[in-house]
Amino acid sequence: MMETPLYLEERSLVKRFSSPLSILLNTLFIMVLFYVSWWIFQDPRGIMRMYTPFVGYMWCRWLLVVMIWIAYIFDFWPFSRSWLNNTHPVLKGVILTTLTAVIFAVMLKLFFETLLGEYAITYFSPERLTKEGLVEFYALEYSAQAILMFAAIASWLSPAWVVAAEGAPWGNLKQPIKGFSIFIVTFLLSFIVYFVVYHSNMGILFDPWQKFAAVTPPWWEDFAGTVHGNFNIAWVMCCTVIVWMHETIWERYPFSMIQTPWIRRTASFFGIIAIAVALSFFLYYAQELIWGEAIRGTRRDAAPDWRWLHVGEMAIFWLLPTLYMHFYLKNGFNGYSKVVNIFLRTIATVLAAIALYYVYYKTAHLFLGTQKGFSHPQQFPMIPLIWFINVMLINYWFMDGWPGWRLAKVGEVIKVRSVEENGVLTASFYKGAVGGIVGGVAVYFAIIYLLPYMGKALTIF
Amino acid sequence: MSVQNEDTKRRDFLKGALTGLGLGTFATMGIFSYSPMREFFLPQMVRKMKDFGACKSIKITNISETSWFDNATLMGDIKGAGGLLVNQYLFNWPPFGDGTGLAKGSYEKGIAKIKHLLPNKLEEAWKIAEENSVNPQNAGGFAALIEIERLDGVKKKYLLDTGWSYAWMDESFKREGIDKMLANGEIEALIISHEHWDHFWGLPVTMKYAPNIKIIVPEGFYPEGFQYIKDSGHKGELMVHKTGINDIEPGLCAIVFDVPIINRVFGEQSIFANVQGKGLVSISGCCHQGIIQFISMAKKELKYDNDQMYGIYGGLHISPFDDWDPKYDDLVIGLAKWDFKAIGCNHCTGLLTARKFVAAGYPVVQGTAQHRSKSKVYLGNGDTMVFG
């Protein structure tokens, strides 16, 4: 059986207007949609005020996960290709977004709060926590925290199974068998990872420590310098970001060079984790170089637990320009060879991420209703950034990039999926690679040498 | 060899070089960044040892640590208003209630109802505030009296914060004799730790007795806060302490942190005293910056006797709403290495934290649980603590 390409891979989008106009139009559209929806649902000054913050955080993570399920795992099943191709993008966007919210509401109320919370694990149910004597506000926040952490893990594993493991071993099955198979496996895997990396955090959230139900103090205490699960949030968030780097601007390179499918899939899946862990260590170190060594027990930007959280936050700052570049700029750099393109895209998105980081912390509190400063315990830049990413996904995945883009008509565009450069590795490649590795080491040390100076030069507060 | 082959070689070399560049960079990130080798590049701590003098002793009287009487009511309001980041002036809490309900108020509408009664007709003003506000019976307040004995034996008094409820704070001031001290000009200044409702909104009570008192606020106050100082009837000097160290008098200094706090408040100042022959005493209203942050800054910046962290007094802002987080365990564990000799805590420290301190064997000074303070692990309302 041949593998059926995903609808998103099969689909060809063409611009409705000349290049900058389409881009500007969509940029404006997603910004308006972001701000209006932010005001309605999240903003502490707005209508529903879900940014409490964990309730709002849980919602935006879960909407992301369900959208990934719909688009990547179930490939829009049960909607037919003809429905997807012929329905107006706005109507499609409304229906699919509503479906996303409904699926999430069912997951939240039936699966987490009722099935798990009422019959298995107390902290998934705010009502049970309230009955145990917790203030209602914190009962809701604690349960939201646990449920969102599951989503954080799922939003790495779900796409990773499709884009890195290539859906194996169910890649050739038809929907919905393929979707349900991958869904069940990634869901169970997410639970296993959740228990290993976050259950202990929840176990010490209550007094006395729940040492018969969870490992307390948790296994990461000595290494991470904290008992907080934020240590795991750091690398899990980096995994979430790297999996999308791999799928979008990196075009699955360099793992796409591996010809043997099972080796490629295994290398991609674990390679993403390896890159993510390396990135998380580096981003933690970057904070030490700029703000000094973290001291256990301190608060805010000096605390190890916050530093690990901030690693994940910094990674998300990289994801947003990456997805924007992929969706609306067609990956930006396409005029050179694939590897040069990838290199230029990576540099461009890193620079954009740094600029976004600076602008966000300088200005976000003025229009998002959030707190000024880096490290307020209720200040999570991940929430608005992921909310923005959700809006982009709705626009690009569910609405075919309307209003700036539209689906191509049959024969209008020849879709070429890049699978090139999988050729034999030559001696020149290896020579270049050796030189490159030495250069990479030099680049790393140059960056860490310069970081303290950059930190002083770019004082935000 | 053909030209095409040379091109291919160059392309392959470049492809390999860029792939290697990525691999080398990420590999070094993973291997070096969290290894012991990373310490080589970390900045070494240079202790500045600023000499801010010393005093003979410090006595602290807790006027009121009960900022609110019921956590569930307070958190219910915060939840109902939309969470921890909602601007405090919007809540419709007293004294700025305007009758429109939770989270629909503003400073301007609230103060308009009572401004004409400040600072002398406080009972009447509070009655209006009660009629127009959300859960007015839950308002209490934090305030403490700091008495410093200089090396020459002269004693000076400072008021740290001024609480929240006009009625409760006036009652507490009278109970501890603060009203007379203010009226007699015995108190040098009112030091506001931060702009939060429970430390600052009771300002007219201080103004009623001493409208000319010097007020010291930390950098970060909002326009509403400055306006409230004027509207409360203040006629004396207003000083804004900048972020960093600010001298108060020999042996006493304030440190301002540019720390973001819930309900939009920004910036907090806490106080250090250097007690001769003993060491450093930290005094805080809420310590939103974190107690270990606070003392580690002192270690970097200040010179103090015996190089000893001697005592703690105040709200330590760890589990103020009966909440908990693993990072608080980090704090409870991490405090051990500083070897404090006496710890007096209350208010936003959280009863659970205080109990964990006791369980960890820290020298927590017990209180009397009087005047509506809930537990003896707190230095409660009317309790005193002397360092030196």
Side-chain angles (χ1 to χ4, degrees), chain B residues 331-388:
Chain B
L331 193 156
V332 174
I333 296 164
L335 195 65
K337 82 168 192 179
W338 299 93
D339 191 28
F340 277 96
K341 303 302 178 194
I343 296 175
C345 55
N346 53 31
H347 176 43
C348 56
T349 305
L351 285 169
L352 178 55
T353 305
R355 285 197 287 267
K356 286 200 178 198
F357 279 173
V358 172
Y362 296 148
V364 173
V365 179
Q366 301 281 301
T368 54
Q370 61 183 338
H371 309 307
R372 299 184 75 180
S373 272
K374 287 179 184 169
S375 169
K376 289 185 177 179
V377 294
Y378 271 4
L379 270 183
N381 301 333
D383 292 337
T384 60
M385 189 170 183
V386 179
F387 300 96

Side-chain angles (χ1 to χ4, degrees), chain A residues 42-45 48-53 134-138 140-142 145 200-202 204-207 209 221-229 242 250 253-254 257 275 277-279 281-285 288-289 291-293 295-305 308 318 337 339-340 343 369-379 421-426 428-441 443-445 447-449 452 461, chain B residues 5-6 8-35 37-43 45 71-87 90-91 102-104 196 220 222 258-267 286-294 296-297 300 316-335 337-338 348 352 355-356:
Chain A
Q42 298 275 3
D43 199 310
R45 307 156 304 175
M48 293 179 69
R49 304 185 181 190
M50 294 196 307
Y51 191 117
T52 56
L134 248 66
V135 171
E136 192 188 347
F137 179 86
Y138 283 102
L140 201 55
E141 292 289 281
Y142 290 178
Q145 189 182 341
S200 295
N201 179 89
M202 299 306 291
I204 60 175
L205 195 53
F206 306 97
D207 184 62
W209 286 1
E221 180 190 10
D222 290 336
F223 185 82
T226 174
V227 292
H228 203 291
I242 296 298
W250 291 349
Y253 186 83
M257 287 195 298
I275 294 170
V277 170
L279 179 66
F281 285 177
F282 167 71
L283 292 176
Y284 189 89
Y285 188 32
E288 288 186 302
L289 289 165
W291 289 323
E293 203 166 0
I295 301 169
R296 187 172 187 181
T298 45
R299 305 284 294 272
R300 314 292 161 93
D301 60 12
D305 64 279
W308 288 117
W318 191 19
S337 68
V339 182
V340 174
F343 175 75
T370 53
Q371 175 59 286
K372 189 167 74 168
F374 282 107
S375 53
H376 186 270
Q378 279 74 41
Q379 161 73 295
E421 299 197 23
N422 287 348
V424 178
L425 298 177
T426 63
S428 297
F429 178 89
Y430 286 116
K431 281 182 194 165
V434 170
I437 289 170
V438 173
V441 174
V443 165
Y444 171 82
F445 283 105
I447 291 170
I448 62 168
Y449 178 75
F461 295 107
Chain B
N5 280 344
E6 283 301 319
T8 306
K9 277 186 179 177
R10 273 199 294 272
R11 277 202 302 273
D12 278 1
F13 182 84
L14 181 62
K15 188 174 157 185
L18 292 177
T19 307
L21 192 73
L23 182 66
T25 309
F26 277 112
T28 324
M29 282 180 178
I31 294 164
F32 191 88
S33 299
Y34 207 70
S35 70
M37 295 178 288
R38 79 190 199 285
E39 289 171 16
F40 180 76
F41 289 94
L42 292 179
M45 189 178 85
N71 271 331
T73 304
L74 188 89
M75 292 314 295
D77 288 348
I78 289 178
K79 178 175 176 287
L84 294 160
L85 293 184
V86 173
N87 178 354
L90 303 183
F91 271 85
L102 186 63
K104 292 176 181 167
H196 261 155
Y222 286 91
D258 56 354
V259 58
I261 316 173
I262 66 166
N263 299 139
R264 196 195 61 151
V265 169
F266 196 89
C286 262
C287 210
H288 285 101
Q289 69 274 13
I291 183 65
I292 294 181
Q293 198 98 326
F294 186 35
S296 62
M297 182 173 179
K300 283 180 203 165
L316 304 184
H317 207 277
I318 301 168
S319 58
F321 311 119
D322 292 340
D323 57 319
W324 197 255
D325 189 279
K327 63 175 170 268
Y328 305 157
D329 284 310
D330 281 341
L331 193 156
V332 174
I333 296 164
L335 195 65
K337 82 168 192 179
W338 299 93
C348 56
L352 178 55
R355 285 197 287 267
K356 286 200 178 198

Side-chain angles (χ1 to χ4, degrees), chain A residues 34 38 68 81 95-96 99 127 133 188 215 248 280 304 355 419 437:
Chain A
F34 164 77
W38 179 262
I68 291 169
R81 286 287 195 269
I95 290 172
L96 291 170
L99 178 69
E127 287 76 18
L188 287 175
V215 174
T248 57
S280 68
V419 287
I437 289 170

